[in-house]
Amino acid sequence: MKKFTEDHEWVSVDGDIATIGITAHAAEQLGDVVFVELPDVGKSFGQKDEMAVVESVKAASDVYAPISGEIVEINNDIVDEPAKVNEDPDGAAWFVKIKLSDASELDKLMDEAAYKEFAK
Amino acid sequence: MTDETLKKLPLDAIHRELGGKMVPFAGYEMPVQYPLGVMKEHLHVREKAGLFDVSHMGQAWLTTKAGPLGTAEAHKAIAETIEQLVPGEIQKLATGRIRYTVLLNEEGGVLDDLMITRPSTEEDQGRLFLVVNAAVKDQDFALIREKLGHIAILDVMEDRALLALQGPLAAEILSTFIPEAESMPFMSSIDTFFDGMPIGLSRCGYTGEDGYELSVPAEEAELVARRLIDHVAVEPIGLGARDSLRLEAGLCLYGHDMDTATSPVEANLNFSIGKRRREEGDFPGAERILKDLKEGTGRLRVGLKPEGRAPAREGTEIQSPDGKTIGTVTSGGFGPTYGGPLAMGYVDAAFAEEGAGVMLIVRGKPVPASVVPTPFVPQRYYRGKK
């Protein structure tokens, strides 16, 4: 099940591992992505901490951690080919995987229907 | 500034119809991009041709009050008049030619950069056509009236649109409407007709590509724009790509790459200061500017190429390799044609040499960069038949 933040990140949980990316809406608003900066594996973040950076020709935007936890994997494909973020933001262009430290934080996030309404 | 006070461009309806994403800029609602997106719009201009609405810029005629128009003396009079405020050579500007120069304050700081055109028509000798930046046009025009109003009349063309057609196919496309457009040299201007409607046509632009600017009555602008956009090779281009194009071309954006504290010498715009003007030293702030020319400046505008892929944006601190602050990035981003990050900024003169290594502090981390010549992408202006 996917959950969404007001900052246009998505998070998909499998056991205690959460995969995180930015939404199609966010990718479209950004425009052509030319640079992605991801955190190092092993680094820990609190919910809403600045976690990654994504830049288009126009501007730089922060990506915030939707939930607290430790980075266990990063997607170097999008670092090497930032344009992938525009091609498949909901799938192949995930940003990081986090080991959850507090699953209850997920309850504060929106479900897909609520996010669709929010991003209108 | 709230939305209610934002002005609309004469082509507002077309921008919305074409899916332009409208944002506030310099007091106007302007298209930052169209559905094509900044990257593809940028590349399209470098490969084919793009149409820009730059009607937010200030257009004005300055006319001498001394004697009848239509004579060489009348030109000399109006040229001497505007030369009180700019360091460019305007007296010797040929008929139908355009000059880029800067409006100066008494301290030799840049109040704006502008294009000054000497009309091609005999009856208009004694007049100059000025195009200034949108963000400062009201204060530019107020200054011109205050300083020159006793000897010249300033007519601000409020009801005038300005369209720019830029790119390697611009000449071929425009000459289907205006045959004489093709042979115009870069930085020249004529009075002509587009579909029977009188327009001012200049071969110039701010993308580094060949191209034109069309000064058109506001009520006719939509017709001209539609005729050009209907061409299969022309795409509408927004402010986003306009900025990345001019940055690759190494061209300054007023208010970012220079301001009232910057001398044109620091900004590396020495070509905006005429040779005779340097000898005569009779422009505002001449003392400082002549000293800057003679002795060099403490800081200088340079091009910067960051290593890696991370763009360094405006405001990024520039440090020496040993960690001392030596300057600031004034424009920076990603160059779609250049294929990587690029920036301009001011550095201490000791680091202004081509190839000098510096550090850009991006999100707290030093990114190595080198000082490189500009333009980043070769300019392709039309200089005449080879």
Side-chain angles (χ1 to χ4, degrees), chain A residues 28-35 37 53 55-60 62 79-80 82, chain B residues 21 32-33 36-40 240 244 309-311 313 333-334 336 363 365:
Chain A
E28 197 198 317
Q29 290 297 310
L30 274 168
D32 304 288
V33 173
V34 297
F35 176 75
E37 187 173 272
V53 175
E55 300 206 25
S56 66
V57 180
K58 281 193 306 247
D62 290 316
V79 174
D80 296 337
Chain B
K21 189 167 154 188
V32 66
Q33 65 177 81
L36 202 55
V38 178
M39 177 89 85
K40 291 199 180 86
S244 55
R309 295 185 65 99
R313 305 282 174 181
F334 181 90
R363 289 180 286 275
K365 280 177 271 181

PDB file of all heavy atoms in Angstrom, chain A residues 28-35 37 53 55-60 62 79-80 82, chain B residues 21 32-33 36-40 240 244 309-311 313 333-334 336 363 365:
ATOM      1  N   GLU A  28       6.157  16.136 -12.514  1.00  0.00           N
ATOM      2  CA  GLU A  28       5.640  16.986 -13.586  1.00  0.00           C
ATOM      3  C   GLU A  28       5.822  18.463 -13.239  1.00  0.00           C
ATOM      4  O   GLU A  28       6.196  19.273 -14.094  1.00  0.00           O
ATOM      5  CB  GLU A  28       4.156  16.672 -13.799  1.00  0.00           C
ATOM      6  CG  GLU A  28       3.651  17.194 -15.122  1.00  0.00           C
ATOM      7  CD  GLU A  28       2.139  17.285 -15.158  1.00  0.00           C
ATOM      8  OE1 GLU A  28       1.483  16.338 -14.673  1.00  0.00           O
ATOM      9  OE2 GLU A  28       1.635  18.304 -15.660  1.00  0.00           O
ATOM     10  N   GLN A  29       5.567  18.806 -11.981  1.00  0.00           N
ATOM     11  CA  GLN A  29       5.736  20.197 -11.552  1.00  0.00           C
ATOM     12  C   GLN A  29       7.200  20.641 -11.669  1.00  0.00           C
ATOM     13  O   GLN A  29       7.485  21.775 -12.027  1.00  0.00           O
ATOM     14  CB  GLN A  29       5.253  20.380 -10.112  1.00  0.00           C
ATOM     15  CG  GLN A  29       3.754  20.274  -9.944  1.00  0.00           C
ATOM     16  CD  GLN A  29       3.012  21.363 -10.700  1.00  0.00           C
ATOM     17  OE1 GLN A  29       3.330  22.541 -10.595  1.00  0.00           O
ATOM     18  NE2 GLN A  29       2.037  20.967 -11.510  1.00  0.00           N
ATOM     19  N   LEU A  30       8.121  19.734 -11.329  1.00  0.00           N
ATOM     20  CA  LEU A  30       9.550  20.062 -11.395  1.00  0.00           C
ATOM     21  C   LEU A  30      10.007  20.311 -12.828  1.00  0.00           C
ATOM     22  O   LEU A  30      10.833  21.162 -13.097  1.00  0.00           O
ATOM     23  CB  LEU A  30      10.373  18.889 -10.866  1.00  0.00           C
ATOM     24  CG  LEU A  30      10.622  18.807  -9.380  1.00  0.00           C
ATOM     25  CD1 LEU A  30      11.196  17.446  -9.058  1.00  0.00           C
ATOM     26  CD2 LEU A  30      11.575  19.910  -8.939  1.00  0.00           C
ATOM     27  N   GLY A  31       9.479  19.523 -13.742  1.00  0.00           N
ATOM     28  CA  GLY A  31       9.983  19.557 -15.111  1.00  0.00           C
ATOM     29  C   GLY A  31      11.168  18.610 -15.236  1.00  0.00           C
ATOM     30  O   GLY A  31      11.389  17.747 -14.370  1.00  0.00           O
ATOM     31  N   ASP A  32      11.940  18.789 -16.313  1.00  0.00           N
ATOM     32  CA  ASP A  32      13.012  17.846 -16.616  1.00  0.00           C
ATOM     33  C   ASP A  32      14.057  17.815 -15.506  1.00  0.00           C
ATOM     34  O   ASP A  32      14.735  18.809 -15.257  1.00  0.00           O
ATOM     35  CB  ASP A  32      13.688  18.248 -17.922  1.00  0.00           C
ATOM     36  CG  ASP A  32      12.690  18.338 -19.050  1.00  0.00           C
ATOM     37  OD1 ASP A  32      12.223  17.282 -19.496  1.00  0.00           O
ATOM     38  OD2 ASP A  32      12.362  19.471 -19.465  1.00  0.00           O
ATOM     39  N   VAL A  33      14.200  16.671 -14.862  1.00  0.00           N
ATOM     40  CA  VAL A  33      15.158  16.545 -13.762  1.00  0.00           C
ATOM     41  C   VAL A  33      16.563  16.365 -14.336  1.00  0.00           C
ATOM     42  O   VAL A  33      16.780  15.563 -15.244  1.00  0.00           O
ATOM     43  CB  VAL A  33      14.778  15.361 -12.845  1.00  0.00           C
ATOM     44  CG1 VAL A  33      15.854  15.106 -11.805  1.00  0.00           C
ATOM     45  CG2 VAL A  33      13.441  15.641 -12.171  1.00  0.00           C
ATOM     46  N   VAL A  34      17.504  17.166 -13.846  1.00  0.00           N
ATOM     47  CA  VAL A  34      18.880  17.122 -14.369  1.00  0.00           C
ATOM     48  C   VAL A  34      19.892  16.685 -13.310  1.00  0.00           C
ATOM     49  O   VAL A  34      21.046  16.438 -13.632  1.00  0.00           O
ATOM     50  CB  VAL A  34      19.304  18.490 -14.947  1.00  0.00           C
ATOM     51  CG1 VAL A  34      18.422  18.855 -16.141  1.00  0.00           C
ATOM     52  CG2 VAL A  34      19.262  19.595 -13.898  1.00  0.00           C
ATOM     53  N   PHE A  35      19.455  16.604 -12.055  1.00  0.00           N
ATOM     54  CA  PHE A  35      20.393  16.245 -10.995  1.00  0.00           C
ATOM     55  C   PHE A  35      19.637  15.673  -9.803  1.00  0.00           C
ATOM     56  O   PHE A  35      18.608  16.200  -9.420  1.00  0.00           O
ATOM     57  CB  PHE A  35      21.192  17.480 -10.557  1.00  0.00           C
ATOM     58  CG  PHE A  35      22.118  17.231  -9.395  1.00  0.00           C
ATOM     59  CD1 PHE A  35      23.304  16.537  -9.577  1.00  0.00           C
ATOM     60  CD2 PHE A  35      21.794  17.676  -8.119  1.00  0.00           C
ATOM     61  CE1 PHE A  35      24.159  16.290  -8.514  1.00  0.00           C
ATOM     62  CE2 PHE A  35      22.647  17.442  -7.043  1.00  0.00           C
ATOM     63  CZ  PHE A  35      23.833  16.754  -7.249  1.00  0.00           C
ATOM     64  N   GLU A  37      20.538  14.171  -5.816  1.00  0.00           N
ATOM     65  CA  GLU A  37      21.512  13.886  -4.762  1.00  0.00           C
ATOM     66  C   GLU A  37      20.829  13.034  -3.698  1.00  0.00           C
ATOM     67  O   GLU A  37      19.806  13.438  -3.153  1.00  0.00           O
ATOM     68  CB  GLU A  37      22.019  15.195  -4.146  1.00  0.00           C
ATOM     69  CG  GLU A  37      23.159  14.997  -3.167  1.00  0.00           C
ATOM     70  CD  GLU A  37      23.726  16.351  -2.725  1.00  0.00           C
ATOM     71  OE1 GLU A  37      24.626  16.862  -3.407  1.00  0.00           O
ATOM     72  OE2 GLU A  37      23.234  16.895  -1.731  1.00  0.00           O
ATOM     73  N   VAL A  53      17.959  15.727  -2.706  1.00  0.00           N
ATOM     74  CA  VAL A  53      17.747  16.942  -3.486  1.00  0.00           C
ATOM     75  C   VAL A  53      17.481  16.537  -4.925  1.00  0.00           C
ATOM     76  O   VAL A  53      18.130  15.627  -5.446  1.00  0.00           O
ATOM     77  CB  VAL A  53      18.985  17.865  -3.439  1.00  0.00           C
ATOM     78  CG1 VAL A  53      18.803  19.066  -4.358  1.00  0.00           C
ATOM     79  CG2 VAL A  53      19.251  18.319  -2.017  1.00  0.00           C
ATOM     80  N   GLU A  55      16.912  18.390  -8.788  1.00  0.00           N
ATOM     81  CA  GLU A  55      16.997  19.683  -9.469  1.00  0.00           C
ATOM     82  C   GLU A  55      16.543  19.562 -10.916  1.00  0.00           C
ATOM     83  O   GLU A  55      16.898  18.618 -11.619  1.00  0.00           O
ATOM     84  CB  GLU A  55      18.444  20.213  -9.445  1.00  0.00           C
ATOM     85  CG  GLU A  55      18.966  20.397  -8.042  1.00  0.00           C
ATOM     86  CD  GLU A  55      20.055  21.457  -7.951  1.00  0.00           C
ATOM     87  OE1 GLU A  55      20.096  22.358  -8.804  1.00  0.00           O
ATOM     88  OE2 GLU A  55      20.855  21.363  -7.004  1.00  0.00           O
ATOM     89  N   SER A  56      15.785  20.560 -11.351  1.00  0.00           N
ATOM     90  CA  SER A  56      15.416  20.673 -12.756  1.00  0.00           C
ATOM     91  C   SER A  56      16.276  21.784 -13.365  1.00  0.00           C
ATOM     92  O   SER A  56      17.110  22.369 -12.677  1.00  0.00           O
ATOM     93  CB  SER A  56      13.935  21.024 -12.878  1.00  0.00           C
ATOM     94  OG  SER A  56      13.710  22.302 -12.352  1.00  0.00           O
ATOM     95  N   VAL A  57      16.066  22.069 -14.659  1.00  0.00           N
ATOM     96  CA  VAL A  57      16.804  23.179 -15.266  1.00  0.00           C
ATOM     97  C   VAL A  57      16.539  24.447 -14.471  1.00  0.00           C
ATOM     98  O   VAL A  57      17.440  25.228 -14.182  1.00  0.00           O
ATOM     99  CB  VAL A  57      16.375  23.385 -16.747  1.00  0.00           C
ATOM    100  CG1 VAL A  57      17.154  24.534 -17.374  1.00  0.00           C
ATOM    101  CG2 VAL A  57      16.580  22.112 -17.559  1.00  0.00           C
ATOM    102  N   LYS A  58      15.279  24.603 -14.052  1.00  0.00           N
ATOM    103  CA  LYS A  58      14.836  25.834 -13.379  1.00  0.00           C
ATOM    104  C   LYS A  58      15.329  25.984 -11.957  1.00  0.00           C
ATOM    105  O   LYS A  58      15.775  27.043 -11.564  1.00  0.00           O
ATOM    106  CB  LYS A  58      13.299  25.873 -13.328  1.00  0.00           C
ATOM    107  CG  LYS A  58      12.626  26.282 -14.593  1.00  0.00           C
ATOM    108  CD  LYS A  58      11.149  26.578 -14.318  1.00  0.00           C
ATOM    109  CE  LYS A  58      10.444  25.456 -13.634  1.00  0.00           C
ATOM    110  NZ  LYS A  58       9.414  24.789 -14.425  1.00  0.00           N
ATOM    111  N   ALA A  59      15.194  24.907 -11.131  1.00  0.00           N
ATOM    112  CA  ALA A  59      15.368  25.114  -9.694  1.00  0.00           C
ATOM    113  C   ALA A  59      15.702  23.831  -8.955  1.00  0.00           C
ATOM    114  O   ALA A  59      15.567  22.736  -9.490  1.00  0.00           O
ATOM    115  CB  ALA A  59      14.087  25.709  -9.115  1.00  0.00           C
ATOM    116  N   ALA A  60      16.129  23.995  -7.703  1.00  0.00           N
ATOM    117  CA  ALA A  60      16.423  22.866  -6.826  1.00  0.00           C
ATOM    118  C   ALA A  60      15.274  22.684  -5.837  1.00  0.00           C
ATOM    119  O   ALA A  60      14.697  23.657  -5.374  1.00  0.00           O
ATOM    120  CB  ALA A  60      17.713  23.136  -6.065  1.00  0.00           C
ATOM    121  N   ASP A  62      14.010  20.254  -2.289  1.00  0.00           N
ATOM    122  CA  ASP A  62      14.359  19.252  -1.288  1.00  0.00           C
ATOM    123  C   ASP A  62      13.347  18.118  -1.314  1.00  0.00           C
ATOM    124  O   ASP A  62      12.168  18.338  -1.585  1.00  0.00           O
ATOM    125  CB  ASP A  62      14.359  19.885   0.112  1.00  0.00           C
ATOM    126  CG  ASP A  62      15.530  20.846   0.283  1.00  0.00           C
ATOM    127  OD1 ASP A  62      16.643  20.486  -0.137  1.00  0.00           O
ATOM    128  OD2 ASP A  62      15.322  21.950   0.822  1.00  0.00           O
ATOM    129  N   VAL A  79      20.651   8.719 -10.074  1.00  0.00           N
ATOM    130  CA  VAL A  79      21.790   9.643  -9.945  1.00  0.00           C
ATOM    131  C   VAL A  79      22.524   9.695 -11.292  1.00  0.00           C
ATOM    132  O   VAL A  79      22.887  10.762 -11.788  1.00  0.00           O
ATOM    133  CB  VAL A  79      22.737   9.189  -8.817  1.00  0.00           C
ATOM    134  CG1 VAL A  79      23.987  10.063  -8.774  1.00  0.00           C
ATOM    135  CG2 VAL A  79      22.013   9.217  -7.482  1.00  0.00           C
ATOM    136  N   ASP A  80      22.687   8.503 -11.903  1.00  0.00           N
ATOM    137  CA  ASP A  80      23.372   8.428 -13.194  1.00  0.00           C
ATOM    138  C   ASP A  80      22.510   8.989 -14.326  1.00  0.00           C
ATOM    139  O   ASP A  80      23.019   9.601 -15.261  1.00  0.00           O
ATOM    140  CB  ASP A  80      23.732   6.969 -13.520  1.00  0.00           C
ATOM    141  CG  ASP A  80      24.727   6.410 -12.519  1.00  0.00           C
ATOM    142  OD1 ASP A  80      25.440   7.226 -11.895  1.00  0.00           O
ATOM    143  OD2 ASP A  80      24.785   5.184 -12.347  1.00  0.00           O
ATOM    144  N   PRO A  82      19.269  11.175 -14.297  1.00  0.00           N
ATOM    145  CA  PRO A  82      18.193  11.894 -13.590  1.00  0.00           C
ATOM    146  C   PRO A  82      16.875  11.932 -14.376  1.00  0.00           C
ATOM    147  O   PRO A  82      15.804  12.016 -13.779  1.00  0.00           O
ATOM    148  CB  PRO A  82      18.774  13.300 -13.418  1.00  0.00           C
ATOM    149  CG  PRO A  82      20.260  13.117 -13.494  1.00  0.00           C
ATOM    150  CD  PRO A  82      20.474  11.996 -14.455  1.00  0.00           C
TER     151      PRO A  82
ATOM    152  N   LYS B  21       2.499  27.925 -18.577  1.00  0.00           N
ATOM    153  CA  LYS B  21       2.372  27.976 -17.118  1.00  0.00           C
ATOM    154  C   LYS B  21       2.730  29.390 -16.706  1.00  0.00           C
ATOM    155  O   LYS B  21       3.883  29.800 -16.842  1.00  0.00           O
ATOM    156  CB  LYS B  21       3.336  26.953 -16.529  1.00  0.00           C
ATOM    157  CG  LYS B  21       3.196  26.702 -15.062  1.00  0.00           C
ATOM    158  CD  LYS B  21       3.990  25.444 -14.741  1.00  0.00           C
ATOM    159  CE  LYS B  21       4.449  25.402 -13.320  1.00  0.00           C
ATOM    160  NZ  LYS B  21       5.370  24.280 -13.104  1.00  0.00           N
ATOM    161  N   VAL B  32       6.299  30.749 -17.928  1.00  0.00           N
ATOM    162  CA  VAL B  32       7.644  30.262 -17.578  1.00  0.00           C
ATOM    163  C   VAL B  32       7.995  29.075 -18.460  1.00  0.00           C
ATOM    164  O   VAL B  32       9.157  28.843 -18.781  1.00  0.00           O
ATOM    165  CB  VAL B  32       7.754  29.943 -16.077  1.00  0.00           C
ATOM    166  CG1 VAL B  32       6.862  28.777 -15.668  1.00  0.00           C
ATOM    167  CG2 VAL B  32       9.190  29.640 -15.676  1.00  0.00           C
ATOM    168  N   GLN B  33       6.956  28.323 -18.873  1.00  0.00           N
ATOM    169  CA  GLN B  33       7.183  27.215 -19.805  1.00  0.00           C
ATOM    170  C   GLN B  33       5.854  26.820 -20.432  1.00  0.00           C
ATOM    171  O   GLN B  33       4.793  27.191 -19.962  1.00  0.00           O
ATOM    172  CB  GLN B  33       7.810  26.022 -19.091  1.00  0.00           C
ATOM    173  CG  GLN B  33       6.890  25.403 -18.045  1.00  0.00           C
ATOM    174  CD  GLN B  33       7.502  24.173 -17.411  1.00  0.00           C
ATOM    175  OE1 GLN B  33       8.329  24.280 -16.512  1.00  0.00           O
ATOM    176  NE2 GLN B  33       7.107  23.009 -17.878  1.00  0.00           N
ATOM    177  N   LEU B  36       5.851  21.618 -23.661  1.00  0.00           N
ATOM    178  CA  LEU B  36       7.108  21.003 -24.112  1.00  0.00           C
ATOM    179  C   LEU B  36       8.121  20.902 -22.968  1.00  0.00           C
ATOM    180  O   LEU B  36       8.900  19.949 -22.907  1.00  0.00           O
ATOM    181  CB  LEU B  36       7.678  21.864 -25.251  1.00  0.00           C
ATOM    182  CG  LEU B  36       8.654  21.244 -26.241  1.00  0.00           C
ATOM    183  CD1 LEU B  36       8.078  20.001 -26.892  1.00  0.00           C
ATOM    184  CD2 LEU B  36       9.021  22.279 -27.324  1.00  0.00           C
ATOM    185  N   GLY B  37       8.125  21.872 -22.067  1.00  0.00           N
ATOM    186  CA  GLY B  37       9.055  21.869 -20.932  1.00  0.00           C
ATOM    187  C   GLY B  37      10.339  22.615 -21.239  1.00  0.00           C
ATOM    188  O   GLY B  37      10.735  22.746 -22.395  1.00  0.00           O
ATOM    189  N   VAL B  38      10.992  23.097 -20.166  1.00  0.00           N
ATOM    190  CA  VAL B  38      12.156  23.976 -20.315  1.00  0.00           C
ATOM    191  C   VAL B  38      13.268  23.329 -21.157  1.00  0.00           C
ATOM    192  O   VAL B  38      13.835  23.952 -22.051  1.00  0.00           O
ATOM    193  CB  VAL B  38      12.716  24.379 -18.935  1.00  0.00           C
ATOM    194  CG1 VAL B  38      13.954  25.249 -19.086  1.00  0.00           C
ATOM    195  CG2 VAL B  38      11.663  25.111 -18.119  1.00  0.00           C
ATOM    196  N   MET B  39      13.559  22.073 -20.874  1.00  0.00           N
ATOM    197  CA  MET B  39      14.672  21.391 -21.551  1.00  0.00           C
ATOM    198  C   MET B  39      14.437  21.322 -23.062  1.00  0.00           C
ATOM    199  O   MET B  39      15.293  21.712 -23.854  1.00  0.00           O
ATOM    200  CB  MET B  39      14.787  19.979 -20.970  1.00  0.00           C
ATOM    201  CG  MET B  39      15.837  19.138 -21.613  1.00  0.00           C
ATOM    202  SD  MET B  39      17.395  19.345 -20.785  1.00  0.00           S
ATOM    203  CE  MET B  39      17.237  18.163 -19.473  1.00  0.00           C
ATOM    204  N   LYS B  40      13.278  20.831 -23.463  1.00  0.00           N
ATOM    205  CA  LYS B  40      13.003  20.679 -24.897  1.00  0.00           C
ATOM    206  C   LYS B  40      12.823  22.032 -25.573  1.00  0.00           C
ATOM    207  O   LYS B  40      13.189  22.205 -26.736  1.00  0.00           O
ATOM    208  CB  LYS B  40      11.769  19.794 -25.120  1.00  0.00           C
ATOM    209  CG  LYS B  40      11.996  18.336 -24.742  1.00  0.00           C
ATOM    210  CD  LYS B  40      10.950  17.430 -25.404  1.00  0.00           C
ATOM    211  CE  LYS B  40      11.160  15.979 -25.039  1.00  0.00           C
ATOM    212  NZ  LYS B  40      10.487  15.616 -23.750  1.00  0.00           N
ATOM    213  N   GLY B 240      11.739  30.165 -18.632  1.00  0.00           N
ATOM    214  CA  GLY B 240      12.703  29.183 -18.122  1.00  0.00           C
ATOM    215  C   GLY B 240      13.801  28.939 -19.141  1.00  0.00           C
ATOM    216  O   GLY B 240      14.997  29.030 -18.824  1.00  0.00           O
ATOM    217  N   SER B 244      17.996  29.831 -19.427  1.00  0.00           N
ATOM    218  CA  SER B 244      19.087  28.870 -19.657  1.00  0.00           C
ATOM    219  C   SER B 244      19.811  29.178 -20.971  1.00  0.00           C
ATOM    220  O   SER B 244      21.021  28.967 -21.079  1.00  0.00           O
ATOM    221  CB  SER B 244      18.568  27.433 -19.614  1.00  0.00           C
ATOM    222  OG  SER B 244      17.509  27.218 -20.510  1.00  0.00           O
ATOM    223  N   ARG B 309      27.830  16.902 -11.611  1.00  0.00           N
ATOM    224  CA  ARG B 309      26.528  17.234 -12.178  1.00  0.00           C
ATOM    225  C   ARG B 309      25.734  18.241 -11.363  1.00  0.00           C
ATOM    226  O   ARG B 309      24.690  18.712 -11.800  1.00  0.00           O
ATOM    227  CB  ARG B 309      25.692  15.957 -12.308  1.00  0.00           C
ATOM    228  CG  ARG B 309      26.245  14.946 -13.276  1.00  0.00           C
ATOM    229  CD  ARG B 309      25.285  13.779 -13.431  1.00  0.00           C
ATOM    230  NE  ARG B 309      24.031  14.188 -14.041  1.00  0.00           N
ATOM    231  CZ  ARG B 309      23.756  14.023 -15.341  1.00  0.00           C
ATOM    232  NH1 ARG B 309      24.611  13.451 -16.131  1.00  0.00           N
ATOM    233  NH2 ARG B 309      22.601  14.429 -15.826  1.00  0.00           N
ATOM    234  N   ALA B 310      26.168  18.540 -10.141  1.00  0.00           N
ATOM    235  CA  ALA B 310      25.352  19.387  -9.266  1.00  0.00           C
ATOM    236  C   ALA B 310      25.370  20.842  -9.724  1.00  0.00           C
ATOM    237  O   ALA B 310      26.429  21.455  -9.782  1.00  0.00           O
ATOM    238  CB  ALA B 310      25.850  19.295  -7.831  1.00  0.00           C
ATOM    239  N   PRO B 311      24.195  21.413 -10.052  1.00  0.00           N
ATOM    240  CA  PRO B 311      24.161  22.835 -10.390  1.00  0.00           C
ATOM    241  C   PRO B 311      24.461  23.695  -9.163  1.00  0.00           C
ATOM    242  O   PRO B 311      24.092  23.343  -8.050  1.00  0.00           O
ATOM    243  CB  PRO B 311      22.720  23.065 -10.863  1.00  0.00           C
ATOM    244  CG  PRO B 311      22.168  21.702 -11.145  1.00  0.00           C
ATOM    245  CD  PRO B 311      22.876  20.782 -10.193  1.00  0.00           C
ATOM    246  N   ARG B 313      23.529  27.271  -7.816  1.00  0.00           N
ATOM    247  CA  ARG B 313      22.536  28.304  -8.129  1.00  0.00           C
ATOM    248  C   ARG B 313      23.007  29.691  -7.683  1.00  0.00           C
ATOM    249  O   ARG B 313      23.979  29.819  -6.943  1.00  0.00           O
ATOM    250  CB  ARG B 313      21.215  27.966  -7.437  1.00  0.00           C
ATOM    251  CG  ARG B 313      20.670  26.574  -7.754  1.00  0.00           C
ATOM    252  CD  ARG B 313      20.003  26.516  -9.096  1.00  0.00           C
ATOM    253  NE  ARG B 313      19.607  25.140  -9.443  1.00  0.00           N
ATOM    254  CZ  ARG B 313      19.011  24.803 -10.577  1.00  0.00           C
ATOM    255  NH1 ARG B 313      18.738  25.724 -11.475  1.00  0.00           N
ATOM    256  NH2 ARG B 313      18.709  23.552 -10.840  1.00  0.00           N
ATOM    257  N   GLY B 333      22.960  27.220 -13.127  1.00  0.00           N
ATOM    258  CA  GLY B 333      21.964  26.188 -13.374  1.00  0.00           C
ATOM    259  C   GLY B 333      22.548  25.104 -14.235  1.00  0.00           C
ATOM    260  O   GLY B 333      23.739  24.793 -14.136  1.00  0.00           O
ATOM    261  N   PHE B 334      21.677  24.570 -15.084  1.00  0.00           N
ATOM    262  CA  PHE B 334      22.060  23.453 -15.936  1.00  0.00           C
ATOM    263  C   PHE B 334      21.894  23.908 -17.373  1.00  0.00           C
ATOM    264  O   PHE B 334      20.883  24.502 -17.730  1.00  0.00           O
ATOM    265  CB  PHE B 334      21.158  22.260 -15.632  1.00  0.00           C
ATOM    266  CG  PHE B 334      21.479  21.031 -16.430  1.00  0.00           C
ATOM    267  CD1 PHE B 334      22.396  20.088 -15.966  1.00  0.00           C
ATOM    268  CD2 PHE B 334      20.868  20.806 -17.658  1.00  0.00           C
ATOM    269  CE1 PHE B 334      22.687  18.958 -16.704  1.00  0.00           C
ATOM    270  CE2 PHE B 334      21.159  19.672 -18.400  1.00  0.00           C
ATOM    271  CZ  PHE B 334      22.072  18.751 -17.926  1.00  0.00           C
ATOM    272  N   PRO B 336      21.195  22.829 -20.984  1.00  0.00           N
ATOM    273  CA  PRO B 336      20.767  21.670 -21.785  1.00  0.00           C
ATOM    274  C   PRO B 336      21.662  21.411 -23.004  1.00  0.00           C
ATOM    275  O   PRO B 336      21.935  20.249 -23.316  1.00  0.00           O
ATOM    276  CB  PRO B 336      19.346  22.051 -22.211  1.00  0.00           C
ATOM    277  CG  PRO B 336      18.858  22.940 -21.114  1.00  0.00           C
ATOM    278  CD  PRO B 336      20.069  23.751 -20.733  1.00  0.00           C
ATOM    279  N   ARG B 363      25.052  23.449  -0.817  1.00  0.00           N
ATOM    280  CA  ARG B 363      24.450  22.780   0.353  1.00  0.00           C
ATOM    281  C   ARG B 363      25.516  22.380   1.374  1.00  0.00           C
ATOM    282  O   ARG B 363      25.543  21.250   1.859  1.00  0.00           O
ATOM    283  CB  ARG B 363      23.638  21.569  -0.096  1.00  0.00           C
ATOM    284  CG  ARG B 363      22.345  21.954  -0.820  1.00  0.00           C
ATOM    285  CD  ARG B 363      21.548  20.756  -1.268  1.00  0.00           C
ATOM    286  NE  ARG B 363      22.137  20.092  -2.398  1.00  0.00           N
ATOM    287  CZ  ARG B 363      21.941  20.451  -3.669  1.00  0.00           C
ATOM    288  NH1 ARG B 363      21.177  21.497  -3.950  1.00  0.00           N
ATOM    289  NH2 ARG B 363      22.520  19.801  -4.646  1.00  0.00           N
ATOM    290  N   LYS B 365      28.589  21.735   1.012  1.00  0.00           N
ATOM    291  CA  LYS B 365      29.726  20.925   0.573  1.00  0.00           C
ATOM    292  C   LYS B 365      30.479  21.613  -0.558  1.00  0.00           C
ATOM    293  O   LYS B 365      29.866  22.162  -1.467  1.00  0.00           O
ATOM    294  CB  LYS B 365      29.215  19.557   0.087  1.00  0.00           C
ATOM    295  CG  LYS B 365      28.917  18.600   1.223  1.00  0.00           C
ATOM    296  CD  LYS B 365      28.356  17.279   0.712  1.00  0.00           C
ATOM    297  CE  LYS B 365      26.842  17.336   0.593  1.00  0.00           C
ATOM    298  NZ  LYS B 365      26.187  16.133   0.128  1.00  0.00           N
TER     299      LYS B 365
END
